[in-house]
Amino acid sequence: MVQITFVSNGGKVATAPENSNLLRVSLKEKGGIPFKCGGGLCGTCKCRIEEGLEHTDAIKPKERKHLRPEDFEAGYRMACQTFVNGDVKVSWVVQNGKGVVVGVASDAADAPVPSA
């Protein structure tokens, strides 16, 4: 069994079998991770693995459509696409009903170009 701590939900702790889907555990145990489609299409379930990132499976192609390489480096994943094989602590920030990435510097190429 693995232990999942939902940091953004008052530190609620749930146990689940190894190789459990993070969003499914959140739904079953009322962990609170935001979601909409549950299938990697909308990006609503963006969350940050605060501890135990090494206990998550490989990044999926659907996650690459919603998260940048620097987001992954900061520990962000999409809960619907993430399976856990050991203890993790997960947090999220919600804006307009969706999980969002916060505090990750963006590339200069992504910055708006000032008009002359």
Side-chain angles (χ1 to χ4, degrees), residues 63-76:
E63 291 180 279
R64 295 186 190 283
K65 293 180 181 179
H66 296 280
L67 294 163
R68 303 167 300 168
E70 57 267 30
D71 300 333
F72 294 120
E73 289 173 19
Y76 283 92

Side-chain angles (χ1 to χ4, degrees), residues 10-85:
K12 180 180 180 76
V13 177
T15 56
E18 284 190 22
N19 203 35
S20 288
N21 176 270
L22 186 55
L23 181 60
R24 288 186 196 125
V25 174
S26 177
L27 292 170
K28 181 179 177 189
E29 301 294 334
K30 297 180 175 51
I33 296 174
F35 73 98
K36 200 172 215 177
C37 76
L41 302 175
C42 70
T44 299
C45 64
K46 289 177 192 146
C47 58
R48 184 167 184 232
I49 308 299
E50 299 282 349
E51 291 181 25
L53 186 61
E54 68 275 14
H55 299 300
T56 60
D57 64 339
I59 295 166
K60 313 291 187 316
K62 289 181 180 179
E63 291 180 279
R64 295 186 190 283
K65 293 180 181 179
H66 296 280
L67 294 163
R68 303 167 300 168
E70 57 267 30
D71 300 333
F72 294 120
E73 289 173 19
Y76 283 92
R77 296 290 304 267
M78 287 173 52
C80 71
Q81 299 296 302
T82 303
F83 290 79
V84 296
N85 295 300

